Amino acid sequence: MTKTDTAVPPNFISHIIEEDIKSNKHGGKVATRFPPEPNGYLHIGHAKSICLNFGLAIEYNGTCNLRFDDTNPAKEEVEYVESIKEDVRWLGFDWDDRLFYASDYFDQLCDYAVQLIKDHKAYVCSLSADEIREYRGTLTEAGRDSPYRTRSVEENLDLFQRMQAGEFADGSHVLRAKIDMAAPNMVMRDPTLFRIRKVPHHRTGDKWCIYPMYDFTHGLSDSIEDITHSLCTLEFENNRELYDWVLNTLNVDCHPQQIEFARLNLSYTVLSKRRLIQLVDEGHVSGWDDPRMPTLSGLRRRGYTPEAIRGFCERIGVARRNSVVDMALLEYIIREDLNKRVARVMAVLHPLRVVIVNYPEEQTEELEAINNPEDPAMGTRSLPFSRVLYIEQEDFREDPPKKFFRLAPGREVRLRYAYFIKCVDVIKNEQTGEIVELHCTYDPETQGGSAPDGRKVKATLHWVSADHAISAQIRLYDNLFTVPNPTEAKDGLDFKDYVNTNSLETLRDCRLEPTLAGAAPGSRYQFERVGYFCVDTVDSTAESLVFNRTVTLRDTWAKILKAQQQQKKRPKQR
Ligand code: ATP
Ligand code: MG
């Protein structure tokens, strides 16, 4: 990927990096890493981190590693590792041969732990988890020293060795850093470095029954990999002191700089693997790749492009202030992207039969349609037109309200790329009163969409020829949650209480123009006047097509921007 594909607009991190390059810190080198824990699928928040880490490496001719932070065997799986690799690649980034696993460093981490013990900087503590919590104190109260804090180096070495050998039960001992139980930063009150976990690991199998903690592992992994700038989200700000303590105390050669930035929050969804996994496990969605999920696999299946997601990350920028980005912005960006690149086709979601009573019964003609008015290079295609058509039910009103300009009894409208038609009769089911078909006449003089006598119509409708149309299932998606901030649930409610139970609507017999026959899974279209759609990659087959709606054509972002601007202009009222 080139620099222009991954522009990282100048931000406070790039400023730090530029200063470091100038002062030749780290020998002028830039090395970043993206360090996911393989305990779930990546979401769009991770995309922000990926674009930032890989983007900075590209920008400054550096490198970016992909490193799995796989220190918690109980929650991690190979499936997640594979999905993460696929998603990073799909986003358009390449780690070349720099794929690493924290689990590959476990031996080295043990050696470092032994060094800390020998330097009187770590000890084996035999308090229970509850006792450790109790001894830790609070934000306003200092903690108390563990009674095991004064164990001798020999005893600590012996116990740590036997912890590794599997002699003790889970939770009976931990290895802790010996720092300061009265430290104002709670993270520094003798944090745990290693714990016993007799759980097989997805890569190391049964080799280990102790596992290193995140804070110990992360900085040392960065150091082992010669990382220069270790970017993480703001919730790790307090951990920076420990990050630096570990590297300083062990006096390692490479001491990267930890820099925190604000995580991405998006309205009407949740961005946390811990929460997303609940939606999957409890069946609120069909899986991690459900097109309603904010996961990269869900967005991909929904029809999002990697370019749009990278564009979104570029647009939201990087700062140190937490905020919630409006879902409408993401939708605006995918709309802009697809508008330029996908073909427009005609599809009728709720078909209403229209018989053109003055059109010859056996006749079919081919009409020329433009594939994308935004891009003449995409050419044209031909569409069959015949006596029986389908239009959208909502494009007809028997009793049109004032501002309804579409088809109504006695009214004339244009059929896109075809003719003017006029409604002359409404046929109803005698029992139910339901409209079953419309009878219309067409004006053969209006082919191509205009009348030689200059008369105008106020609406242009999409349509398909009934005999030629193909049938498809179409899935319409709405926000996964009914409120913008589901994680701020109140009144004893949980974020899952705000799951939108109407977020999926399945339309089973939609009618599509025949050029869509056999459309390949993953291919994207604009259905004229309806929205952007993508052939489902899981359930669609050549015989029975399934489309997902990526996004509607309605631009709510423009409205939001306008409202914000008006807000600014309006003088403050006192
Ligand atoms: P989650 O809460 O979703 O599990 P995490 O931070 O625990 O997220 P990791 O796998 O540890 O997930 O994340 C890998 C990297 O992605 C980390 O550097 C993390 O800071 C970053 N990251 C995770 N979520 C976001 C987000 N919403 N916005 C920006 N960066 C994020
Ligand atoms: Mg995490």
Side-chain angles (χ1 to χ4, degrees):
M1 195 173 313
T2 65
K3 282 188 191 186
T4 47
D5 290 331
T6 60
V8 181
N11 58 62
F12 79 99
I13 301 179
S14 60
H15 293 150
I16 294 175
I17 291 181
E18 281 172 20
E19 287 305 310
D20 290 348
I21 292 174
K22 257 191 233 154
S23 68
N24 209 34
K25 189 176 170 185
H26 316 289
K29 212 177 58 143
V30 175
T32 59
R33 83 288 170 265
F34 172 63
E37 184 182 349
N39 61 348
Y41 282 59
L42 296 182
H43 51 65
I44 188 158
H46 293 109
K48 175 177 180 176
S49 178
I50 295 169
C51 290
L52 179 63
N53 280 294
F54 280 93
L56 288 169
I58 292 168
E59 181 88 24
Y60 297 104
N61 290 316
T63 51
C64 180
N65 300 351
L66 174 61
R67 181 202 315 143
F68 287 99
D69 231 318
D70 53 349
T71 52
N72 185 356
K75 292 188 176 168
E76 296 164 3
E77 287 175 28
V78 177
E79 178 194 341
Y80 298 141
V81 170
E82 293 309 316
S83 77
I84 288 169
K85 288 199 258 181
E86 184 185 349
D87 288 349
V88 174
R89 258 188 232 117
W90 176 75
L91 257 192
F93 297 103
D94 188 356
W95 53 87
D96 295 323
D97 56 351
R98 296 179 309 278
L99 171 63
F100 301 107
Y101 295 85
S103 56
D104 287 341
Y105 309 138
F106 284 174
D107 280 297
Q108 239 167 315
L109 294 175
C110 276
D111 293 344
Y112 280 126
V114 166
Q115 187 185 329
L116 286 179
I117 293 172
K118 288 180 178 162
D119 292 343
H120 302 271
K121 296 292 187 190
Y123 62 99
V124 173
C125 180
S126 311
L127 293 176
S128 69
D130 284 342
E131 287 167 328
I132 288 180
R133 208 169 302 123
E134 202 188 307
Y135 273 71
R136 186 170 288 133
T138 64
L139 280 173
T140 50
E141 242 176 277
R144 281 176 294 144
D145 284 0
S146 158
Y148 304 101
R149 205 172 196 260
T150 51
R151 273 178 168 150
S152 68
V153 168
E154 291 67 38
E155 190 180 1
N156 281 322
L157 286 174
D158 174 60
L159 286 171
F160 185 56
Q161 151 62 32
R162 287 162 61 195
M163 278 168 67
Q164 279 178 69
E167 286 187 31
F168 307 119
D170 285 15
S172 55
H173 306 279
V174 292
L175 183 74
R176 297 177 72 174
K178 194 188 281 189
I179 307 179
D180 179 5
M181 288 307 291
N185 181 356
M186 304 266 293
V187 171
M188 301 301 282
R189 295 185 186 172
D190 290 11
T192 299
L193 305 179
F194 268 96
R195 62 186 166 163
I196 302 172
R197 267 289 168 99
K198 294 192 171 161
V199 177
H201 184 281
H202 66 100
R203 293 194 76 240
T204 57
D206 290 327
K207 177 172 176 197
W208 298 95
C209 54
I210 60 168
Y211 290 95
M213 301 299 287
Y214 171 85
D215 283 312
F216 187 59
T217 312
H218 198 82
L220 285 169
S221 303
D222 283 347
S223 174
I224 291 167
E225 291 175 19
D226 277 331
I227 299 301
T228 58
H229 300 84
S230 176
L231 315 182
C232 64
T233 37
L234 278 177
E235 65 272 22
F236 291 100
E237 193 170 8
N238 285 337
N239 301 59
R240 189 189 335 132
E241 197 179 345
L242 179 54
Y243 183 100
D244 289 331
W245 181 91
V246 169
L247 299 183
N248 285 333
T249 308
L250 287 165
N251 196 22
V252 291
D253 290 336
C254 167
H255 188 144
Q257 178 181 0
Q258 174 177 312
I259 305 170
E260 308 88 23
F261 63 95
R263 64 192 294 123
L264 168 66
N265 299 300
L266 197 57
S267 64
Y268 294 100
T269 193
V270 293
L271 295 184
S272 136
K273 285 178 282 180
R274 183 175 59 82
R275 293 200 172 95
L276 294 173
I277 206 167
Q278 293 177 49
L279 297 177
V280 174
D281 287 349
E282 297 173 22
H284 296 285
V285 293
S286 64
W288 285 99
D289 67 348
D290 186 302
R292 290 166 292 181
M293 290 280 271
T295 51
L296 295 180
S297 49
L299 290 166
R300 173 166 65 232
R301 191 171 162 195
R302 176 87 169 247
Y304 275 77
T305 61
E307 290 84 359
I309 293 178
R310 292 202 306 264
F312 172 75
C313 293
E314 191 181 322
R315 174 79 182 254
I316 56 174
V318 179
R320 276 187 59 88
R321 189 171 46 88
N322 273 314
S323 64
V324 181
V325 175
D326 208 300
M327 182 64 98
L329 175 62
L330 179 62
E331 294 179 342
Y332 165 79
I333 286 176
I334 183 66
R335 217 179 265 125
E336 290 277 285
D337 184 36
L338 295 177
N339 180 47
K340 283 176 285 175
R341 53 202 272 180
V342 306
R344 297 187 191 180
V345 294
M346 293 204 277
V348 176
L349 270 48
H350 300 96
L352 171 60
R353 223 174 114 89
V354 171
V355 181
I356 312 288
V357 290
N358 62 339
Y359 196 86
E361 293 227 14
E362 298 303 320
Q363 183 171 315
T364 298
E365 63 188 303
E366 295 289 331
L367 302 176
E368 189 179 42
I370 295 167
N371 288 334
N372 188 344
E374 299 277 322
D375 182 5
M378 289 176 73
T380 60
R381 67 192 183 287
S382 83
L383 289 179
F385 184 88
S386 65
R387 181 180 161 90
V388 183
L389 312 171
Y390 289 114
I391 64 166
E392 210 69 69
Q393 282 169 20
E394 63 172 29
D395 282 337
F396 174 78
R397 284 288 193 85
E398 196 173 15
D399 262 320
K402 245 191 176 159
K403 287 196 172 165
F404 186 90
F405 299 118
R406 293 169 262 168
L407 198 59
R411 191 182 286 172
E412 193 171 43
V413 296
R414 178 189 293 112
L415 292 182
R416 187 104 167 115
Y417 301 121
Y419 299 96
F420 286 10
I421 60 165
K422 184 180 201 167
C423 178
V424 294
D425 205 358
V426 181
I427 314 299
K428 295 180 183 175
N429 177 318
E430 274 171 21
Q431 265 105 55
T432 61
E434 193 193 350
I435 298 172
V436 289
E437 72 182 34
L438 303 179
H439 287 181
C440 295
T441 54
Y442 88 115
D443 177 355
E445 298 292 308
T446 56
Q447 202 211 19
S450 59
D453 63 4
R455 73 182 191 277
K456 301 280 183 232
V457 289
K458 285 194 170 149
T460 302
L461 310 186
H462 61 278
W463 56 275
V464 294
S465 163
D467 277 347
H468 304 90
I470 56 168
S471 169
Q473 185 190 113
I474 294 184
R475 297 172 181 169
L476 305 179
Y477 300 102
D478 198 352
N479 288 330
L480 192 45
F481 291 91
T482 53
V483 294
N485 266 328
T487 54
E488 286 169 20
K490 290 191 197 83
D491 306 323
L493 294 179
D494 175 73
F495 77 99
K496 281 170 288 169
D497 295 322
Y498 296 110
V499 165
N500 178 6
T501 49
N502 297 316
S503 55
L504 167 61
E505 185 186 352
T506 304
L507 307 176
R508 295 191 192 278
D509 193 13
C510 305
R511 299 306 169 102
L512 280 41
E513 65 169 69
T515 59
L516 288 169
S523 47
R524 305 179 180 96
Y525 302 90
Q526 183 193 111
F527 291 178
E528 293 218 25
R529 302 178 63 234
V530 180
Y532 291 97
F533 290 79
C534 165
V535 182
D536 191 64
T537 47
V538 177
D539 298 324
S540 192
T541 62
E543 297 73 42
S544 105
L545 287 173
V546 179
F547 283 81
N548 296 320
R549 182 171 68 195
T550 310
V551 67
T552 63
L553 291 176
R554 238 175 304 125
D555 182 7
T556 46
W557 179 245
K559 260 191 223 150
I560 292 171
L561 276 187
K562 207 169 156 194
Q564 282 175 351
Q565 278 160 1
Q566 277 168 355
Q567 196 88 35
K568 269 188 210 152
K569 272 193 220 145
R570 206 173 299 148
K572 284 215 176 74
Q573 291 178 357
R574 287 172 189 266

